Amino acid sequence: NSGEERRTFKGHANTVLSVAVTPDGKYIVSGSEDKTIKLWDIKSGVERRTFEKHADWVRSVAVTPDGKYIVSGSQDGTTKLWDIRSGEEIKTFHSFTIYSVYSIVVTPDGKYIATGGSLGTENKNKIILWDIRRGKEIRTFEGHTSYVNSVVVTPDGKYIVSGSGDKTIKLWDINSGEERRTFKGHTSQVESVAVTPDGKYIVSGSFGGTIKLWDIKSGEERRTFEKHTSYVDSVAVTPDGKYIVSGSGDKTIKLWDINSGEERRTFERHTEIVFSVAVTPDGKYIVSGSGDNTIKLWDMENGEELRTFEGHTDSVWSVAVTPDGKYIVSRSKDQTIKLWNIKNGSLEANFVSFDDKEWLAWKPNGEDICSDNAYKYFCFVDDNKMEALPANHPVYKSKRKENLFKEYVK
């Protein structure tokens, strides 16, 4: 309602490539070009843990449905399973042919991980299904002739849907490993795929600016939506399955009626590319992230822009809504993750972490909380921002608020 930034999560040393929210809505997980995964407490803003055993960029992260484990996919060719509570690396999933892992999805039953990636130089592009408990590669899905850009699992957990740079979408049977169907019709690379809540249809967005609706059972292309004037970077389906939401390089978001194919509404207040769109769980609002460094909240029914969330200093690449519908999570090229309160927009705190795993969080009213040795990074100044206090000044100790500290980290 207010559009205010609730929180910024700072601590990664390079670009944040992926974020996820735990099923209980209490934590954010982020993966970065700095080769680490971080776990953040949404309520307090505290960086709870850093996971650091990947040897290259962490391109994708996910959380198992029970909320107990983090799954990360890296450019180092591995997928790792981490225990959220202990921070321990439980398993590493190695493919016999090392390839970059671009995308990850966990099946609804929490038994399997599907990873999409590419060998690039050898033009081998595949999806691998892993058994989480045993840590073994169950099967490989090969058939795409270019990189696998997006993977999702159908609501019943029976099929994997993949979108690729080879201009196709493929449907794979998880149990048998068979390619059930290839959906051809796009004339350029497939950027994003989604599945309707009833599991009957696939929605795909392409670099050519078109969105297509596919019947999973018959394989038929039911409809093409083509009023965008630039590429479609993101697609989402409303919880009731009646509408498609698309974000495009033409700086707009469009709302489409799945049954009639009509464009219901265009949302036009962004000044740069719309990289990502999401829908709130109640189906009332659209959230969009853009190259203009902002996130916007839109009323789906009347098309009104309700709020603009400003605070990122570079393009907003991805947005998501927490399961309770109370918060927006955004990741940006500025290497930060931000948490926004949808209802009142207030900024609750700011967050930063350091290379030695020390961390700091503070509120606009001056209250702060930090790890034991983070105060060595502090530099207090006067009201005119001119005079710095030395690191050993007693103000460091006096400014630490034990009650607040205990409340947040207990």
Side-chain angles (χ1 to χ4, degrees), residues 10-11 38 47 352-360 374 377:
K10 292 183 180 179
K38 291 183 182 290
E47 178 190 326
V352 64
S353 66
F354 306 97
D355 291 340
D356 57 1
K357 299 185 182 181
E358 301 296 337
W359 54 263
L360 165 69
Y377 294 105

Side-chain angles (χ1 to χ4, degrees), residues 2 6 10 23 71 190 233 247 272 291 296 344 352 370 382 393:
S2 71
R6 287 302 292 265
K10 292 183 180 179
V71 184
V190 178
D233 221 30
E272 290 293 341
K296 291 183 182 290
N344 62 32
V352 64
C370 71
D382 62 15
H393 195 284

Side-chain angles (χ1 to χ4, degrees), residues 168-272:
T168 71
I169 301 101
K170 291 183 182 288
L171 181 72
W172 312 84
D173 188 300
I174 285 182
N175 291 323
S176 69
E178 294 179 8
E179 177 187 326
R180 290 294 189 181
R181 190 162 286 113
T182 297
F183 304 82
K184 295 181 179 180
H186 282 295
T187 57
S188 60
Q189 63 196 45
V190 178
E191 295 289 322
S192 181
V193 291
V195 178
T196 55
D198 60 9
K200 293 181 178 180
Y201 301 98
I202 295 168
V203 178
S204 56
S206 81
F207 193 78
T210 63
I211 300 135
K212 291 183 182 290
L213 181 71
W214 311 85
D215 187 302
I216 287 182
K217 187 175 181 180
S218 68
E220 295 179 8
E221 178 187 326
R222 290 296 188 185
R223 191 163 287 113
T224 298
F225 309 80
E226 46 185 354
K227 290 192 177 181
H228 278 299
T229 58
S230 185
Y231 57 88
V232 177
D233 221 30
S234 181
V235 290
V237 181
T238 56
D240 60 10
K242 293 181 178 180
Y243 301 98
I244 295 168
V245 179
S246 57
S248 170
D250 63 13
K251 309 174 187 177
T252 71
I253 302 106
K254 291 184 183 290
L255 181 69
W256 312 85
D257 187 302
I258 283 185
N259 291 324
S260 68
E262 294 180 7
E263 177 193 339
R264 290 295 189 183
R265 189 163 286 110
T266 297
F267 307 81
E268 299 185 278
R269 299 294 294 276
H270 280 298
T271 58
E272 290 293 341

Side-chain angles (χ1 to χ4, degrees), residues 334-402:
D334 67 12
Q335 303 178 25
T336 69
I337 301 155
K338 294 182 184 291
L339 180 73
W340 315 81
N341 185 287
I342 290 180
K343 186 176 181 179
N344 62 32
S346 63
L347 173 62
E348 287 195 347
N350 303 277
F351 312 90
V352 64
S353 66
F354 306 97
D355 291 340
D356 57 1
K357 299 185 182 181
E358 301 296 337
W359 54 263
L360 165 69
W362 72 96
K363 289 186 175 183
N365 64 6
E367 293 181 339
D368 57 74
I369 173 178
C370 71
S371 56
D372 288 339
N373 298 310
Y375 278 86
K376 63 186 177 183
Y377 294 105
F378 274 37
C379 182
F380 292 106
V381 297
D382 62 15
D383 291 339
N384 295 320
K385 298 183 179 180
M386 295 295 290
E387 182 181 354
L389 297 174
N392 61 354
H393 195 284
V395 73
Y396 286 99
K397 190 171 183 179
S398 67
K399 281 185 71 68
R400 181 162 180 168
K401 298 169 176 60
E402 290 295 334

Side-chain angles (χ1 to χ4, degrees), residues 11-17 31-35 57 332-336:
H12 282 295
N14 212 326
T15 303
V16 177
L17 298 177
S32 169
E33 287 182 4
D34 65 10
K35 309 175 188 178
W57 295 359
S332 167
K333 190 179 178 181
D334 67 12
Q335 303 178 25
T336 69

